[in-house]
Amino acid sequence: MPQQYTIATIGGDGIGPEVIEAAQPVIEKAASLSDAILKWDPQPYGASHYLETGETLPEPAFEHLRDNVDAILLGALGDPRVKKNEHARDILLGLRFRLDLFVNFRPCKLLHGPMCPLNTVDQTRPLDFVFFRENTEGSYLGRGSSNNVGTPEEEQISEEVHTAPKVTRIIRAAFEWAEKNGKTLVTMSDKSNAIPAHRMWGRIFEEIGTEYPNIEKEHRYVDALAMELVRDPQRFEVIVTNNLYGDILSDLGAQLVGGMGLAASANVNPESTGLFEPVHGSAPPLTGKGVANPMAAILTGALMLDSLGIEGAGDKIEKAVTRALAEDIITEELGGKLSTTEVSSWIEEAI
Ligand code: IPM
Ligand code: MN
């Protein structure tokens, strides 16, 4: 009997719905070849729903996603009609925080050599590393205060929060993943030379690291790491860092391997419903034109199938996308001429 999985989809805003719709048959195909059946559960949340109803993510919907589905696949959130993007904050950050999805897993793997913008990479060696971005605290809690707003003395205070259990679990997750995937180097990044609160990351990293004697550990200040990711990205394997630095560096990493049109991410906690989203945004100018690159959403689907334990499915997707890139089955943004669905249908066939 094939196993059935319920996947909620939140297409969201801009190109979000188009890329999710294009990715669905591809993901479904890969799953079916591994004897899994996906049942889609579309959810209406996003800017339009918010503007029509005033709701971002209502409580019953949150509970439904928490309790009744196996995974959530999200397109993109962000719409010029919602000036402060409060719906995106509620839905995306809300799900990350409330489902306690503490691992933001963002792989950066060069699938097609010529797409790397650096002429210094060695095309005979892999460029393949992953970010473990802490996803539940740091600068993202929105804690702080404002004083004298609108006066020349205005002061905005934003607090960064790092707590030992949360730093411990993300560092442990990075080491565990490294060990399971045959990696031998974990890099931890912070800014402890300027921000004293970051020193705790170093202490915990060292302590947990002793449990993984076969893995080499190193520390990089985030500024130096940004430089080194450009100078020699091929030396990295696993990078673990706080929420904000992971956000920033993962865009850098995405560009190293072909840009936002290819960057996938998973927000996970083994105890919760996972949330899977391409790293790219809603790209309002591209919306509705059929030109958005569906590859990030498709590769995000691969992460989702892997995380659900559907063996071999993620790999099939990655191989098919790699072939598409090699054969120039690409949208405008990568220099091609094909439409969103032309690319996704080709990948589906290739699988
Ligand atoms: C990301 C995005 C989000 C983040 C924004 C939209 C809040 O940039 O997923 O990387 O900062 O986490
Ligand atoms: Mn980001």
Side-chain angles (χ1 to χ4, degrees), residues 15-272:
I15 60 168
E18 304 165 37
V19 295
I20 293 302
E21 211 180 294
Q24 278 172 307
V26 182
I27 301 169
E28 219 170 86
K29 176 80 171 281
S32 76
L33 292 172
S34 295
D35 218 19
I37 294 178
L38 306 184
K39 191 174 141 250
W40 302 105
D41 174 17
Q43 301 288 325
Y45 306 104
S48 296
H49 184 85
Y50 174 54
L51 292 168
E52 277 157 32
T53 65
E55 1 175 271
T56 52
L57 183 67
E59 196 56 27
F62 169 73
E63 285 167 12
H64 172 65
L65 296 173
R66 183 190 61 196
D67 301 334
N68 306 333
V69 308
D70 295 299
I72 307 163
L73 181 62
L74 188 146
L77 293 166
D79 186 305
R81 294 172 298 167
V82 184
K83 287 281 170 292
K84 292 186 186 154
N85 264 314
E86 58 271 22
H87 71 300
R89 198 176 161 85
D90 272 18
I91 299 171
L92 180 62
L93 300 184
L95 285 169
R96 286 181 187 167
F97 290 145
R98 298 182 66 197
L99 294 172
D100 199 26
L101 303 174
F102 67 95
V103 175
N104 191 188
F105 179 77
R106 295 189 159 180
C108 298
K109 183 172 180 181
L110 184 60
L111 300 178
H112 183 56
M115 284 192 326
C116 180
L118 305 176
N119 59 13
T120 44
V121 301
D122 175 351
Q123 295 284 354
T124 66
R125 276 171 66 210
L127 193 176
D128 183 9
F129 62 88
V130 299
F131 285 105
F132 275 77
R133 165 186 177 190
E134 202 292 321
N135 214 22
T136 55
E137 55 175 11
S139 316
Y140 272 65
L141 293 178
R143 272 205 217 168
S145 54
S146 311
N147 298 303
N148 305 319
V149 176
T151 75
E153 308 302 314
E154 177 162 344
E155 178 180 62
Q156 296 288 348
I157 301 173
S158 161
E159 293 174 347
E160 250 185 64
V161 182
H162 304 272
T163 55
K166 293 189 172 175
V167 173
T168 302
R169 67 182 180 174
I170 187 69
I171 289 177
R172 190 178 292 289
F175 276 114
E176 282 294 311
W177 186 89
E179 194 162 77
K180 280 204 188 81
N181 289 277
K183 305 293 182 190
T184 54
L185 174 65
V186 176
T187 307
M188 188 278 283
S189 187
D190 62 28
K191 190 61 192 167
S192 52
N193 53 351
I195 305 176
H198 288 189
R199 289 184 201 141
M200 186 180 71
W201 276 77
R203 289 200 314 269
I204 294 175
F205 184 64
E206 234 171 75
E207 199 179 293
I208 307 241
T210 59
E211 297 170 32
Y212 301 87
N214 301 326
I215 296 178
E216 197 188 323
K217 301 107 202 157
E218 64 177 15
H219 169 260
R220 290 288 184 276
Y221 296 123
V222 68
D223 48 348
L225 179 57
M227 179 190 70
E228 217 168 340
L229 278 170
V230 174
R231 192 182 63 77
D232 185 12
Q234 292 174 297
R235 66 179 296 287
F236 294 101
E237 297 185 5
V238 178
I239 298 172
V240 60
T241 189
N242 68 53
N243 207 338
L244 180 62
Y245 298 169
D247 175 49
I248 297 168
L249 294 174
S250 60
D251 274 26
L252 193 164
Q255 195 59 48
L256 291 177
V257 299
M260 282 301 182
L262 285 149
S265 90
N267 302 270
V268 289
N269 172 337
E271 322 258 286
S272 277

